[in-house]
mmCIF file of all heavy atoms in Angstrom:
data_model
loop_
_atom_site.group_PDB
_atom_site.id
_atom_site.type_symbol
_atom_site.label_atom_id
_atom_site.label_comp_id
_atom_site.label_asym_id
_atom_site.label_seq_id
_atom_site.Cartn_x
_atom_site.Cartn_y
_atom_site.Cartn_z
ATOM 1 N N PRO A 166 0.802 -1.233 0.000
ATOM 2 C CA PRO A 166 0.000 0.000 0.000
ATOM 3 C C PRO A 166 0.831 1.279 0.000
ATOM 4 O O PRO A 166 0.449 2.278 -0.621
ATOM 5 C CB PRO A 166 -0.828 -0.114 1.286
ATOM 6 C CG PRO A 166 -0.895 -1.566 1.565
ATOM 7 C CD PRO A 166 0.401 -2.126 1.089
ATOM 8 N N PHE A 167 1.999 1.244 0.647
ATOM 9 C CA PHE A 167 2.854 2.429 0.670
ATOM 10 C C PHE A 167 3.486 2.670 -0.698
ATOM 11 O O PHE A 167 3.657 3.814 -1.115
ATOM 12 C CB PHE A 167 3.922 2.284 1.749
ATOM 13 C CG PHE A 167 3.345 2.152 3.121
ATOM 14 C CD1 PHE A 167 3.431 0.972 3.815
ATOM 15 C CD2 PHE A 167 2.686 3.217 3.722
ATOM 16 C CE1 PHE A 167 2.880 0.844 5.078
ATOM 17 C CE2 PHE A 167 2.124 3.102 4.970
ATOM 18 C CZ PHE A 167 2.228 1.917 5.658
ATOM 19 N N VAL A 168 3.816 1.600 -1.405
ATOM 20 C CA VAL A 168 4.350 1.745 -2.761
ATOM 21 C C VAL A 168 3.276 2.317 -3.687
ATOM 22 O O VAL A 168 3.568 3.171 -4.526
ATOM 23 C CB VAL A 168 4.882 0.386 -3.277
ATOM 24 C CG1 VAL A 168 5.265 0.468 -4.737
ATOM 25 C CG2 VAL A 168 6.063 -0.068 -2.434
ATOM 26 N N ILE A 169 2.033 1.875 -3.509
ATOM 27 C CA ILE A 169 0.933 2.421 -4.317
ATOM 28 C C ILE A 169 0.793 3.923 -4.066
ATOM 29 O O ILE A 169 0.624 4.708 -5.005
ATOM 30 C CB ILE A 169 -0.378 1.676 -4.016
ATOM 31 C CG1 ILE A 169 -0.291 0.247 -4.565
ATOM 32 C CG2 ILE A 169 -1.574 2.406 -4.596
ATOM 33 C CD1 ILE A 169 -1.413 -0.658 -4.119
ATOM 34 N N ALA A 170 0.869 4.328 -2.795
ATOM 35 C CA ALA A 170 0.780 5.757 -2.475
ATOM 36 C C ALA A 170 1.928 6.536 -3.110
ATOM 37 O O ALA A 170 1.734 7.657 -3.600
ATOM 38 C CB ALA A 170 0.770 5.953 -0.962
ATOM 39 N N LEU A 171 3.124 5.946 -3.124
ATOM 40 C CA LEU A 171 4.252 6.622 -3.763
ATOM 41 C C LEU A 171 4.078 6.704 -5.283
ATOM 42 O O LEU A 171 4.528 7.663 -5.910
ATOM 43 C CB LEU A 171 5.561 5.897 -3.426
ATOM 44 C CG LEU A 171 6.069 6.105 -2.004
ATOM 45 C CD1 LEU A 171 7.261 5.204 -1.731
ATOM 46 C CD2 LEU A 171 6.442 7.556 -1.778
ATOM 47 N N LEU A 172 3.428 5.717 -5.873
ATOM 48 C CA LEU A 172 3.188 5.762 -7.319
ATOM 49 C C LEU A 172 2.117 6.780 -7.688
ATOM 50 O O LEU A 172 2.110 7.297 -8.808
ATOM 51 C CB LEU A 172 2.785 4.371 -7.822
ATOM 52 C CG LEU A 172 3.887 3.313 -7.785
ATOM 53 C CD1 LEU A 172 3.314 1.961 -8.179
ATOM 54 C CD2 LEU A 172 5.032 3.702 -8.696
ATOM 55 N N ILE A 173 1.212 7.078 -6.775
ATOM 56 C CA ILE A 173 0.163 8.064 -7.031
ATOM 57 C C ILE A 173 0.708 9.495 -6.915
ATOM 58 O O ILE A 173 0.183 10.419 -7.535
ATOM 59 C CB ILE A 173 -1.020 7.841 -6.072
ATOM 60 C CG1 ILE A 173 -1.729 6.536 -6.452
ATOM 61 C CG2 ILE A 173 -2.009 8.990 -6.090
ATOM 62 C CD1 ILE A 173 -2.815 6.130 -5.498
ATOM 63 N N ALA A 174 1.789 9.686 -6.162
ATOM 64 C CA ALA A 174 2.345 11.024 -5.929
ATOM 65 C C ALA A 174 2.663 11.787 -7.220
ATOM 66 O O ALA A 174 2.323 12.972 -7.324
ATOM 67 C CB ALA A 174 3.565 10.943 -5.034
ATOM 68 N N PRO A 175 3.291 11.173 -8.237
ATOM 69 C CA PRO A 175 3.540 11.933 -9.471
ATOM 70 C C PRO A 175 2.260 12.378 -10.181
ATOM 71 O O PRO A 175 2.227 13.436 -10.807
ATOM 72 C CB PRO A 175 4.321 10.963 -10.354
ATOM 73 C CG PRO A 175 4.908 9.982 -9.423
ATOM 74 C CD PRO A 175 3.967 9.883 -8.273
ATOM 75 N N ILE A 176 1.198 11.588 -10.055
ATOM 76 C CA ILE A 176 -0.086 11.988 -10.645
ATOM 77 C C ILE A 176 -0.601 13.239 -9.940
ATOM 78 O O ILE A 176 -1.136 14.150 -10.566
ATOM 79 C CB ILE A 176 -1.100 10.833 -10.544
ATOM 80 C CG1 ILE A 176 -0.623 9.638 -11.377
ATOM 81 C CG2 ILE A 176 -2.481 11.274 -11.000
ATOM 82 C CD1 ILE A 176 -1.409 8.368 -11.150
ATOM 83 N N LEU A 177 -0.430 13.279 -8.618
ATOM 84 C CA LEU A 177 -0.888 14.427 -7.847
ATOM 85 C C LEU A 177 -0.063 15.681 -8.126
ATOM 86 O O LEU A 177 -0.559 16.797 -7.970
ATOM 87 C CB LEU A 177 -0.837 14.108 -6.348
ATOM 88 C CG LEU A 177 -1.823 13.057 -5.855
ATOM 89 C CD1 LEU A 177 -1.539 12.716 -4.401
ATOM 90 C CD2 LEU A 177 -3.240 13.547 -6.008
ATOM 91 N N MET A 178 1.184 15.524 -8.527
ATOM 92 C CA MET A 178 2.049 16.682 -8.793
ATOM 93 C C MET A 178 1.508 17.561 -9.915
ATOM 94 O O MET A 178 1.709 18.766 -9.913
ATOM 95 C CB MET A 178 3.468 16.233 -9.150
ATOM 96 C CG MET A 178 4.307 15.851 -7.955
ATOM 97 S SD MET A 178 4.538 17.181 -6.788
ATOM 98 C CE MET A 178 5.667 18.220 -7.676
ATOM 99 N N LYS A 179 0.810 16.973 -10.878
ATOM 100 C CA LYS A 179 0.323 17.782 -11.997
ATOM 101 C C LYS A 179 -0.794 18.733 -11.576
ATOM 102 O O LYS A 179 -1.108 19.659 -12.304
ATOM 103 C CB LYS A 179 -0.119 16.904 -13.153
ATOM 104 C CG LYS A 179 -1.389 16.153 -12.951
ATOM 105 C CD LYS A 179 -1.746 15.361 -14.196
ATOM 106 C CE LYS A 179 -3.069 14.656 -14.015
ATOM 107 N NZ LYS A 179 -3.450 13.897 -15.172
ATOM 108 N N TYR A 180 -1.377 18.526 -10.382
ATOM 109 C CA TYR A 180 -2.419 19.426 -9.893
ATOM 110 C C TYR A 180 -1.843 20.604 -9.106
ATOM 111 O O TYR A 180 -2.568 21.517 -8.759
ATOM 112 C CB TYR A 180 -3.426 18.660 -9.022
ATOM 113 C CG TYR A 180 -4.201 17.647 -9.806
ATOM 114 C CD1 TYR A 180 -3.919 16.296 -9.680
ATOM 115 C CD2 TYR A 180 -5.195 18.034 -10.693
ATOM 116 C CE1 TYR A 180 -4.619 15.355 -10.406
ATOM 117 C CE2 TYR A 180 -5.900 17.095 -11.428
ATOM 118 C CZ TYR A 180 -5.606 15.761 -11.280
ATOM 119 O OH TYR A 180 -6.296 14.831 -12.008
ATOM 120 N N GLY A 181 -0.537 20.586 -8.829
ATOM 121 C CA GLY A 181 0.122 21.726 -8.211
ATOM 122 C C GLY A 181 -0.019 21.849 -6.699
ATOM 123 O O GLY A 181 0.333 22.877 -6.142
ATOM 124 N N HIS A 182 -0.496 20.842 -6.031
ATOM 125 C CA HIS A 182 -0.630 20.881 -4.570
ATOM 126 C C HIS A 182 0.607 20.253 -3.950
ATOM 127 O O HIS A 182 0.562 19.135 -3.424
ATOM 128 C CB HIS A 182 -1.887 20.124 -4.129
ATOM 129 C CG HIS A 182 -3.147 20.719 -4.654
ATOM 130 N ND1 HIS A 182 -3.763 21.767 -4.033
ATOM 131 C CD2 HIS A 182 -3.898 20.423 -5.739
ATOM 132 C CE1 HIS A 182 -4.856 22.084 -4.700
ATOM 133 N NE2 HIS A 182 -4.955 21.281 -5.757
ATOM 134 N N LYS A 183 1.709 20.978 -3.958
ATOM 135 C CA LYS A 183 2.988 20.405 -3.537
ATOM 136 C C LYS A 183 3.028 20.064 -2.052
ATOM 137 O O LYS A 183 3.656 19.093 -1.649
ATOM 138 C CB LYS A 183 4.115 21.359 -3.894
ATOM 139 C CG LYS A 183 4.309 21.458 -5.375
ATOM 140 C CD LYS A 183 5.477 22.324 -5.737
ATOM 141 C CE LYS A 183 5.640 22.246 -7.233
ATOM 142 N NZ LYS A 183 5.812 23.450 -7.900
ATOM 143 N N ARG A 184 2.357 20.834 -1.223
ATOM 144 C CA ARG A 184 2.365 20.557 0.221
ATOM 145 C C ARG A 184 1.698 19.211 0.506
ATOM 146 O O ARG A 184 2.208 18.415 1.281
ATOM 147 C CB ARG A 184 1.653 21.666 0.975
ATOM 148 C CG ARG A 184 1.670 21.427 2.474
ATOM 149 C CD ARG A 184 1.029 22.547 3.235
ATOM 150 N NE ARG A 184 1.704 23.798 2.932
ATOM 151 C CZ ARG A 184 1.173 24.993 3.082
ATOM 152 N NH1 ARG A 184 -0.041 25.112 3.542
ATOM 153 N NH2 ARG A 184 1.851 26.077 2.799
ATOM 154 N N TRP A 185 0.559 18.941 -0.133
ATOM 155 C CA TRP A 185 -0.146 17.681 0.105
ATOM 156 C C TRP A 185 0.626 16.504 -0.467
ATOM 157 O O TRP A 185 0.641 15.427 0.122
ATOM 158 C CB TRP A 185 -1.551 17.736 -0.490
ATOM 159 C CG TRP A 185 -2.417 18.698 0.240
ATOM 160 C CD1 TRP A 185 -2.876 19.896 -0.228
ATOM 161 C CD2 TRP A 185 -2.903 18.591 1.577
ATOM 162 N NE1 TRP A 185 -3.618 20.528 0.732
ATOM 163 C CE2 TRP A 185 -3.657 19.743 1.851
ATOM 164 C CE3 TRP A 185 -2.781 17.628 2.569
ATOM 165 C CZ2 TRP A 185 -4.277 19.958 3.076
ATOM 166 C CZ3 TRP A 185 -3.399 17.837 3.780
ATOM 167 C CH2 TRP A 185 -4.137 18.986 4.026
ATOM 168 N N VAL A 186 1.268 16.712 -1.588
ATOM 169 C CA VAL A 186 2.075 15.645 -2.179
ATOM 170 C C VAL A 186 3.260 15.337 -1.271
ATOM 171 O O VAL A 186 3.617 14.171 -1.074
ATOM 172 C CB VAL A 186 2.545 16.029 -3.599
ATOM 173 C CG1 VAL A 186 3.503 15.008 -4.154
ATOM 174 C CG2 VAL A 186 1.347 16.191 -4.516
ATOM 175 N N THR A 187 3.845 16.364 -0.680
ATOM 176 C CA THR A 187 4.950 16.151 0.259
ATOM 177 C C THR A 187 4.494 15.349 1.463
ATOM 178 O O THR A 187 5.196 14.435 1.907
ATOM 179 C CB THR A 187 5.527 17.516 0.713
ATOM 180 O OG1 THR A 187 5.927 18.255 -0.433
ATOM 181 C CG2 THR A 187 6.706 17.321 1.635
ATOM 182 N N VAL A 188 3.311 15.649 1.978
ATOM 183 C CA VAL A 188 2.767 14.889 3.114
ATOM 184 C C VAL A 188 2.560 13.434 2.724
ATOM 185 O O VAL A 188 2.932 12.522 3.473
ATOM 186 C CB VAL A 188 1.438 15.530 3.598
ATOM 187 C CG1 VAL A 188 0.715 14.617 4.570
ATOM 188 C CG2 VAL A 188 1.696 16.886 4.213
ATOM 189 N N ILE A 189 1.982 13.192 1.544
ATOM 190 C CA ILE A 189 1.757 11.816 1.076
ATOM 191 C C ILE A 189 3.080 11.075 0.940
ATOM 192 O O ILE A 189 3.225 9.943 1.408
ATOM 193 C CB ILE A 189 1.014 11.822 -0.280
ATOM 194 C CG1 ILE A 189 -0.400 12.314 -0.114
ATOM 195 C CG2 ILE A 189 1.057 10.462 -0.941
ATOM 196 C CD1 ILE A 189 -1.396 11.282 0.324
ATOM 197 N N VAL A 190 4.059 11.699 0.294
ATOM 198 C CA VAL A 190 5.338 11.033 0.049
ATOM 199 C C VAL A 190 6.056 10.747 1.362
ATOM 200 O O VAL A 190 6.563 9.631 1.569
ATOM 201 C CB VAL A 190 6.213 11.878 -0.905
ATOM 202 C CG1 VAL A 190 7.637 11.358 -0.951
ATOM 203 C CG2 VAL A 190 5.607 11.891 -2.290
ATOM 204 N N LEU A 191 6.129 11.717 2.258
ATOM 205 C CA LEU A 191 6.819 11.491 3.526
ATOM 206 C C LEU A 191 6.127 10.428 4.371
ATOM 207 O O LEU A 191 6.792 9.562 4.957
ATOM 208 C CB LEU A 191 6.938 12.794 4.308
ATOM 209 C CG LEU A 191 7.896 13.828 3.723
ATOM 210 C CD1 LEU A 191 7.866 15.111 4.550
ATOM 211 C CD2 LEU A 191 9.303 13.273 3.656
ATOM 212 N N THR A 192 4.803 10.460 4.419
ATOM 213 C CA THR A 192 4.076 9.452 5.183
ATOM 214 C C THR A 192 4.268 8.064 4.580
ATOM 215 O O THR A 192 4.469 7.089 5.308
ATOM 216 C CB THR A 192 2.570 9.795 5.220
ATOM 217 O OG1 THR A 192 2.416 11.130 5.695
ATOM 218 C CG2 THR A 192 1.816 8.854 6.118
ATOM 219 N N ALA A 193 4.229 7.969 3.264
ATOM 220 C CA ALA A 193 4.423 6.675 2.608
ATOM 221 C C ALA A 193 5.844 6.155 2.819
ATOM 222 O O ALA A 193 6.043 4.954 3.029
ATOM 223 C CB ALA A 193 4.115 6.789 1.124
ATOM 224 N N MET A 194 6.833 7.039 2.800
ATOM 225 C CA MET A 194 8.213 6.608 3.008
ATOM 226 C C MET A 194 8.440 6.122 4.441
ATOM 227 O O MET A 194 9.108 5.111 4.656
ATOM 228 C CB MET A 194 9.176 7.736 2.645
ATOM 229 C CG MET A 194 9.252 7.974 1.160
ATOM 230 S SD MET A 194 10.263 9.386 0.690
ATOM 231 C CE MET A 194 11.832 8.971 1.374
ATOM 232 N N VAL A 195 7.866 6.822 5.407
ATOM 233 C CA VAL A 195 7.988 6.385 6.801
ATOM 234 C C VAL A 195 7.270 5.046 6.983
ATOM 235 O O VAL A 195 7.798 4.130 7.628
ATOM 236 C CB VAL A 195 7.431 7.459 7.762
ATOM 237 C CG1 VAL A 195 7.279 6.917 9.163
ATOM 238 C CG2 VAL A 195 8.338 8.679 7.758
ATOM 239 N N GLY A 196 6.086 4.909 6.411
ATOM 240 C CA GLY A 196 5.358 3.651 6.500
ATOM 241 C C GLY A 196 6.105 2.507 5.852
ATOM 242 O O GLY A 196 6.143 1.389 6.380
ATOM 243 N N LEU A 197 6.713 2.771 4.718
ATOM 244 C CA LEU A 197 7.496 1.745 4.033
ATOM 245 C C LEU A 197 8.702 1.333 4.872
ATOM 246 O O LEU A 197 9.008 0.142 4.989
ATOM 247 C CB LEU A 197 7.936 2.266 2.664
ATOM 248 C CG LEU A 197 8.581 1.286 1.702
ATOM 249 C CD1 LEU A 197 7.624 0.142 1.412
ATOM 250 C CD2 LEU A 197 8.953 1.988 0.413
ATOM 251 N N ALA A 198 9.353 2.294 5.494
ATOM 252 C CA ALA A 198 10.495 1.984 6.349
ATOM 253 C C ALA A 198 10.063 1.143 7.554
ATOM 254 O O ALA A 198 10.733 0.160 7.909
ATOM 255 C CB ALA A 198 11.169 3.274 6.812
ATOM 256 N N VAL A 199 8.944 1.506 8.177
ATOM 257 C CA VAL A 199 8.447 0.739 9.328
ATOM 258 C C VAL A 199 8.060 -0.670 8.898
ATOM 259 O O VAL A 199 8.351 -1.648 9.600
ATOM 260 C CB VAL A 199 7.259 1.474 9.985
ATOM 261 C CG1 VAL A 199 6.560 0.592 10.997
ATOM 262 C CG2 VAL A 199 7.725 2.755 10.641
ATOM 263 N N ALA A 200 7.415 -0.796 7.735
ATOM 264 C CA ALA A 200 7.032 -2.124 7.242
ATOM 265 C C ALA A 200 8.254 -2.996 7.007
ATOM 266 O O ALA A 200 8.275 -4.173 7.398
ATOM 267 C CB ALA A 200 6.222 -1.993 5.957
ATOM 268 N N ILE A 201 9.287 -2.444 6.404
ATOM 269 C CA ILE A 201 10.506 -3.216 6.140
ATOM 270 C C ILE A 201 11.182 -3.611 7.446
ATOM 271 O O ILE A 201 11.634 -4.749 7.598
ATOM 272 C CB ILE A 201 11.449 -2.425 5.220
ATOM 273 C CG1 ILE A 201 10.839 -2.342 3.817
ATOM 274 C CG2 ILE A 201 12.831 -3.056 5.176
ATOM 275 C CD1 ILE A 201 11.554 -1.419 2.883
ATOM 276 N N LEU A 202 11.233 -2.690 8.405
ATOM 277 C CA LEU A 202 11.839 -3.021 9.695
ATOM 278 C C LEU A 202 11.053 -4.115 10.411
ATOM 279 O O LEU A 202 11.640 -4.990 11.056
ATOM 280 C CB LEU A 202 11.938 -1.778 10.576
ATOM 281 C CG LEU A 202 12.973 -0.749 10.153
ATOM 282 C CD1 LEU A 202 12.871 0.497 11.024
ATOM 283 C CD2 LEU A 202 14.373 -1.335 10.227
ATOM 284 N N GLN A 203 9.742 -4.096 10.300
ATOM 285 C CA GLN A 203 8.952 -5.144 10.946
ATOM 286 C C GLN A 203 9.122 -6.479 10.226
ATOM 287 O O GLN A 203 9.233 -7.521 10.867
ATOM 288 C CB GLN A 203 7.474 -4.775 10.993
ATOM 289 C CG GLN A 203 6.649 -5.876 11.639
ATOM 290 C CD GLN A 203 5.319 -5.415 12.119
ATOM 291 O OE1 GLN A 203 5.187 -4.296 12.575
ATOM 292 N NE2 GLN A 203 4.326 -6.275 12.029
ATOM 293 N N ILE A 204 9.156 -6.463 8.914
ATOM 294 C CA ILE A 204 9.348 -7.701 8.156
ATOM 295 C C ILE A 204 10.698 -8.324 8.485
ATOM 296 O O ILE A 204 10.815 -9.543 8.639
ATOM 297 C CB ILE A 204 9.207 -7.434 6.644
ATOM 298 C CG1 ILE A 204 7.753 -7.100 6.315
ATOM 299 C CG2 ILE A 204 9.676 -8.620 5.824
ATOM 300 C CD1 ILE A 204 7.542 -6.555 4.925
ATOM 301 N N GLU A 205 11.719 -7.495 8.629
ATOM 302 C CA GLU A 205 13.057 -7.989 8.948
ATOM 303 C C GLU A 205 13.203 -8.395 10.408
ATOM 304 O O GLU A 205 14.208 -8.983 10.792
ATOM 305 C CB GLU A 205 14.112 -6.933 8.595
ATOM 306 C CG GLU A 205 14.219 -6.649 7.117
ATOM 307 C CD GLU A 205 14.672 -7.864 6.322
ATOM 308 O OE1 GLU A 205 15.503 -8.642 6.837
ATOM 309 O OE2 GLU A 205 14.179 -8.038 5.206
ATOM 310 N N GLY A 206 12.216 -8.058 11.237
ATOM 311 C CA GLY A 206 12.256 -8.459 12.640
ATOM 312 C C GLY A 206 12.987 -7.500 13.554
ATOM 313 O O GLY A 206 13.257 -7.823 14.706
ATOM 314 N N VAL A 207 13.314 -6.316 13.061
ATOM 315 C CA VAL A 207 14.026 -5.339 13.877
ATOM 316 C C VAL A 207 13.093 -4.738 14.926
ATOM 317 O O VAL A 207 13.484 -4.528 16.068
ATOM 318 C CB VAL A 207 14.632 -4.222 12.983
ATOM 319 C CG1 VAL A 207 15.299 -3.150 13.817
ATOM 320 C CG2 VAL A 207 15.603 -4.822 11.988
#
């Protein structure tokens, strides 16, 4: 789901709402990092 959110971010960029796209990208990146850490057992 976090990868899907990151793939949607470039679509959102064409609407010019950079602040919201930044929130989506940062939240998705943090979620992806947490998911990987949990999968690895850290």
Side-chain angles (χ1 to χ4, degrees):
F167 299 111
V168 172
I169 290 170
L171 286 173
L172 291 174
I173 291 174
I176 296 169
L177 292 173
M178 281 300 287
K179 72 178 183 180
Y180 294 105
H182 298 276
K183 292 184 175 133
R184 181 177 302 158
W185 292 110
V186 174
T187 304
V188 168
I189 292 276
V190 168
L191 290 177
T192 307
M194 288 175 59
V195 168
L197 189 59
V199 169
I201 291 171
L202 289 174
Q203 179 161 325
I204 291 168
E205 294 297 324
V207 176

